[in-house]
Structure formats: C-alpha cells, structure tokens
Amino acid sequence: MKYIKYLTLVLLVGLFAACSDKDVTYNMTEANPATHAYIQVVHMAPIKNAAANYAYQVDINGYEYQNDLSSVLLTRNGIPSGGTNLFFSVPAGTVEVKLHGIENILYEKDDNGVYYTNRYYERIPVKAGDKVYFVAGDKMEYNGATLQGEQTYADGMATNIVGKWVRDEKLNGLTRIVKEPYYVGTTQDINGNSVSLEPGKQYRLVIYDMEKGLLVCEQGTIPTIKDQLVNWESGRDDTTEPFTEPVGEGANHRFYNFVWETSTQPATFKLQAYFKNQLTEGDNAGEFDIPCGKPFGFGEDSGWATIPMKKSIYNSSGYARMDFKLKKIGANGEDLGWFQYKSTATASPKDYTDYWTTYIGRAYIYFMHGIVEHEGIAAVGNARWTAQ
C-alpha cells in the first residue's frame, strides 16, 4: 500500500511538471475590431468564365492575401471561400485590391524556328537582348556548350538549342504569377465616390466592372429569427384566401443586383424577388407570391428579409427547398412582368427561376449576375453565400 501511495505521488509530481504555464503562440497579429474591418472579395464582373480571367494572386493593400496557384478567385465567386462567415482582416479605411493572373514560363519553338511563350492565349516571342534562364540538367546546348543560368538571348541561339527552356529566374516551375495586375480597384460607392471601411464591420467588396472600383456592400445587422410560427398569408401579396396552417421558423435572405442588359449596359430596371408558396393546397399553392424585401436596382440590394419555411422532413434540423423568381420593376415602380433572360446568345428569352436548399436559422446572400442578352459571354445566374 505504501508503494502505491509513493507511486501516485510521483505520478502527480510528473503531471504537474509536464503542465507548462506558457501559452503556445504563433507568428500572427491579432485582428483588433477597434482598428480593423473584415472583408470578402467578390468577383461579379460580366466577363467569360475562363482561365485568362482567374486571379491566382490577390493583393490587398499591398499584401499578398492569396498566392498558392490553387486557391483561385474565379469569376462569379469570392474569397475567402469554403466556409460560413470567413473574412480577411484589414485596417479600417480605404482598401485597394489587385488581381494577378499566371503565365506559362516554358518556351517552345514554332515551325518557323521562333521561340515563344504563352501568356494564356497570347504568344510572346523571345527577342534578342532578353534575359533568359537555363537549367543545366536539361542539357540545352549552344555552339557545343551547355547553357546554364542567366543568359542574354541572341538570335542565333534558336539554331541549336534543344530541350526544355524556362525563363523564370527561380528555375523551378512552368508557371508564375504575372507581376502586372490585370485589375486594380479601390473601395467606392456606385457613383465612384471613395468609401472608407469602418472598424469592426463586415463588408463584401464586389468587382462588378473591370474598369471601375470595388463596390462596398456592408453586411449589416442580420435580423434575429424569433417566434416565426406565423401563417403563410402574412407574407403574401394576395391575402384573400384564408390559410391558417402555421409554419416553422424561417431563414434570412438578401438579394443583390449585378445584372447587365448587354456587355456594356448595366441593368436600368429594378428586380423584386419572390419565393414560391409552399402551400400544398388552395389557389395560392405553388405560386411565387412571397416577396423578399424591396425592389433593388443595379448595385443595390433587397435588404434582409425573414422568409418563413416548412421543413421537408419534420424530424430533422430543419431544411427545405426554396424556389424563387424575380420581377422586373420599372423606373416609376411599375410591374414589368417576370424577369427574362437568354440562356445562350441565340436562345429565346425565358423566365428566370432557381432554387436552393435552405436551412432554418441561416442567413443567405444572393448575387444576381450575368448578361440578359448573353452575347456568348456570361449567362444570367446567381451566386449564393451563407452569411450566418
């Protein structure tokens, strides 16, 4: 018994000795809500969804926030992505964003004996006097000598060079970031006035035109979903049909308008979003008559709106399919009918409708984007973010 007592004492002493009062720290600076704002960068410009328009490096206020050739900012997408409520932290004030593409750094010889490289779809020939780089292990020779490291290119080199030829001074890859950004934008409002971000607030900075600045969209206060045991008729335009079946709680929704009529003309109309009535019977069953917020013009939003919903499966955490359509609203508030678009450059116009699986208690943001006439560039669609 005495041995067990002493053994226990030794173990306790060892345990306390193993516990350190020192905190584990990382090489990082804490984001102070008193001095920093929180941002997402969203790309909604009406350009083709092609590799030439992807951003492989994103600079924010001179710092590389993204640069690994895999976390790419695609068109009609945003960063940071992949999770709910993820934001970059930046000092409060104005913000500048730069987008960089990548280029192929492998030189190839064409049928005429001219070396060139590809910056996406643009051929760039190597010229006499250019600084070029060679890897000795590739055994590329000129006039009987193996080329290695930095060289000044001469026209005669093209005669005898064989093998792989890279021009990156690091000599360790086939692609690299293009130093010159293809987009530079600062925080502005829709009229081009500079906007300063406030500390502690969350924003989405939207690239909506490759020639314009970043439109500042503040997330704002998301409504609290509480006591949503209401009747469907309370949210309908037409309340003449009595219907008293209560629904469960709802979700918050907010729409933005980044739709273009043509590739050069932003939408001159407003949109009004309507969710599909989830009634299973009655005259209003299946109608799109549950309005979401207010009409919203180009660069504007509908405001947050809590939409009640009914669970698809009663004994679950709570989700449902939520269909929606949009109406065009004229300059004087007139109803111009359902919003229509062309799915291809030559297609006939058709009503726009879509749906998403929606979970009770969440908050969702919808970015309406694309070109109504399509023009073979970008079809109308929507991108949805989970804000909460």
Side-chain angles (χ1 to χ4, degrees), residues 40-44 73 77-79 204-207 367 385:
Q40 294 175 345
V41 179
V42 182
H43 196 337
M44 292 294 148
L73 175 55
N77 215 308
I79 54 170
R204 288 171 182 85
L205 310 183
V206 182
I207 302 168
F367 293 98
W385 263 249

Side-chain angles (χ1 to χ4, degrees), residues 42-50 53 73-77 99 182-183 205-213 258-260 262-263 298 367-371 377-379:
V42 182
H43 196 337
M44 292 294 148
I47 58 179
K48 284 188 176 182
N49 181 24
N53 294 323
L73 175 55
L74 307 174
T75 55
R76 270 72 75 182
N77 215 308
L99 305 184
Y182 67 86
Y183 172 83
L205 310 183
V206 182
I207 302 168
Y208 67 95
D209 186 325
M210 301 305 290
E211 305 299 324
K212 302 261 179 92
F258 291 104
V259 173
W260 291 64
T262 68
S263 58
F298 185 83
F367 293 98
M368 297 302 305
H369 56 71
I371 304 172
I377 300 175

Side-chain angles (χ1 to χ4, degrees), residues 184-200:
V184 179
T186 57
T187 46
Q188 299 178 355
D189 62 20
I190 196 65
N191 297 314
N193 301 310
S194 179
V195 173
S196 184
L197 307 189
E198 298 182 31

